[in-house]
Each structure stands twice: as structure tokens, then as C-alpha cells.
Amino acid sequence: MADDHTHVQDFFAPRAADWDSRFPDDGPAFAVAVGELGLSPGDAVLDAGCGTGRALPALRGAVGPGGTVVGADVTHAMLAAALRAGRESSGTLVLADASRLPLRAGVLDAVFAAGLISHLPHPEQGLGELARVVRPGGRLALFHPIGRAALAARHGRTLSDDDLRAEPRLTPLLAGAGWRLESYADEDSRFLALAVRTGRHRYDPVDRPGRAR
């Protein structure tokens, strides 16, 4: 996949307008996954690769009016769909690459990422960028509203241990990026891996010029 994310944008842009209507029953699964992220009122959380912002209302509900919710996506059309759905009322929408976020180091308490990992051109580097913006002890949820086997069947593929989300691959991938896998669920009805931000690691740079809180 190209580093400029052209492939991602080309895939999602024409599907953005009817994305929610294609998967109308996913809302409760998003809400349950957000609940397991362990957010508290006043927390700051990022929805990385937020798409049409389906997780934003649940994230806002978890952090309350005093918390901070940001939804970042690299595809303008998906953010436009989120605006049409009124989800900007639940969080700030930002056009941004999840592998290069306009945020200072350690400013977040958690990251929620639905379906993101398979669209990262360099997964360990991308997960490292998510770790960079989260405080030590903060949490990451890698989520999909259906499990790996069901997703592979949907796309006409055979389930493979080479899948980035397979636990034997995901555990060291997260560890190398500054996360410790805490729990792992791969069921027909959902995929959810929860990880905790560890100490400093090789993707902890000095804040880049121009980064803002």
C-alpha cells in the first residue's frame, strides 16, 4: 500500500456515502467495545481511522462533556459523511494520517481504532505513532464488528495465521510499538484486542514542530 494512502482513499471515498447503511447493525458492537476501553469522565481519546464516526457518540458518552474526543481519518469523503450524520457534535473531526498525527506526545488517555491496522502501510510504525500520543498506562482498542474468520469469508479469503490480527503476530507487533497486549477476543460477532501503553520505546521522538495539543 502506498505511503501516501492513495489506495486507502481510493477504496473508501466511493463507499463513504452509503457506508453506514451497508452495516446498519454495527452500532451496539461499537458501544460495547468502547465500554471495554475503560474510559473515565474527563479523559482524552482519539478514534484513529474514524471513518464516518460511528464510535464517536459512545466515546463522548464515556468521557462526558468535560472530556476530549477526536476523530481522525485520512479520507475526506468519510469525514464528510460523519458531518452529514451529525457526529461532529460528539467530537472534533480531523483530516489526518493515523501514522502521522497532529498531536503532542502523551496527550491522550486512550485510542480506539476500528479496522485500522490492516490499512496501515507500516503497521509497527503506525502503532508506534498511536503509542507516541498516549500517556504511559493509557489504552488502545483494536476493534472490528466481526471476527477474523467472518471478515475473511466476506472478502472471499482464507483465514491465515499471517493476518496482522492473528494473536501470534499481533502480540509482538504491539510490543515492538510500545504496547502490551492485555486481552484478545476473536469471535464471530467481533474482534477486540486491548493493549496498554508501556514505557518509552523507539517511536518516542521529541515532539515535531507544529504539533499542538
Side-chain angles (χ1 to χ4, degrees):
M1 189 174 296
D3 286 359
D4 66 0
H5 294 280
T6 299
H7 181 89
V8 174
Q9 293 163 333
D10 287 348
F11 177 84
F12 284 106
R15 294 168 171 81
D18 67 346
W19 189 260
D20 286 2
S21 63
R22 292 176 63 197
F23 308 106
D25 301 323
D26 287 349
F30 273 80
V32 170
V34 167
E36 294 190 38
L37 188 51
L39 294 167
S40 298
D43 278 354
V45 60
L46 168 71
D47 184 356
C50 68
T52 61
R54 290 181 292 173
L56 296 182
L59 292 169
R60 172 56 65 193
V63 304
T68 298
V69 178
V70 178
D73 201 276
V74 76
T75 303
H76 183 274
M78 294 296 269
L79 294 177
L83 286 169
R84 289 193 298 272
R87 291 177 180 135
E88 79 283 1
S89 64
S90 296
T92 301
L93 296 172
V94 178
L95 183 66
D97 177 357
S99 297
R100 191 172 178 82
L101 293 163
L103 297 169
R104 293 190 182 276
V107 72
L108 300 175
D109 297 291
V111 173
F112 183 86
L116 175 69
I117 188 170
S118 61
H119 295 292
L120 294 172
H122 304 289
E124 187 171 331
Q125 183 177 335
L127 291 170
E129 174 69 349
L130 299 183
R132 183 189 68 80
V133 298
V134 173
R135 62 171 175 79
R139 291 164 65 82
L140 168 69
L142 298 177
F143 169 71
H144 201 284
I146 60 175
R148 292 172 54 240
L151 186 62
R154 175 185 289 177
H155 294 290
R157 294 185 281 102
T158 301
L159 186 63
S160 169
D161 288 339
D162 289 335
D163 182 354
L164 289 171
R165 287 164 290 195
E167 189 171 6
R169 284 205 66 189
L170 185 61
T171 299
L173 180 64
L174 286 166
W179 301 97
R180 182 183 73 254
L181 184 64
E182 187 175 61
S183 67
Y184 181 91
D186 183 16
E187 305 157 353
D188 286 345
S189 59
R190 69 165 184 172
F191 173 89
L192 181 63
L194 296 172
V196 176
R197 171 69 157 88
T198 58
R200 289 188 63 84
H201 62 100
R202 58 184 167 142
Y203 291 110
D204 279 342
V206 175
D207 281 338
R208 299 173 190 147
R211 300 251 170 173
R213 289 187 184 274

